[in-house]
Amino acid sequence: MRDLPSLEILTPEDPAMYGTITAFRVAGHTSEADNVAIAKELFDRHRIFTVRRGGPVKGDCVRVTPALFTSRDDVDLFATALRGIVSRMRD
């Protein structure tokens, strides 16, 4: 997903810091309302549960927490959903 220029992934590049919780934001869409709308779309359209998170530097974001049983297909669905969201928000 790092190939989407408008998508800011808030997990460091260092593999030693990778974890099961990460967050992302769409550049220029950092308000609470923007990120509530993203989380709502992910759930309503794709049944992907995420939450808006306030507090990080540079604005709100959406937190993603994969579960123990998150499948590769689930991750692929999430990637497809994000590509659509970023594309629409960029236009």
Side-chain angles (χ1 to χ4, degrees):
M1 298 305 306
R2 293 188 188 273
D3 64 333
L4 287 173
S6 296
L7 184 67
E8 300 173 3
I9 298 175
L10 306 179
T11 299
E13 292 282 346
D14 180 356
M17 298 187 74
Y18 288 178
T20 58
I21 298 174
T22 193
F24 69 90
R25 70 168 65 97
V26 178
H29 298 275
T30 58
S31 71
E32 179 177 346
D34 288 335
N35 288 278
V36 165
I38 291 169
K40 182 174 176 13
E41 179 176 344
L42 285 169
F43 188 75
D44 290 349
R45 293 187 73 196
H46 306 284
R47 307 318 277 174
I48 298 170
F49 181 73
T50 59
V51 294
R52 185 225 33 117
R53 178 174 180 250
V57 175
K58 299 183 183 176
D60 279 20
C61 61
V62 176
R63 176 171 277 175
V64 180
T65 309
L68 179 62
F69 298 105
T70 300
S71 70
R72 181 177 297 241
D73 289 342
D74 294 333
V75 174
D76 289 343
L77 173 64
F78 178 59
T80 299
L82 272 183
R83 287 183 191 285
I85 288 169
V86 169
S87 176
R88 280 190 302 285
M89 293 182 95
R90 195 175 31 201
D91 295 336

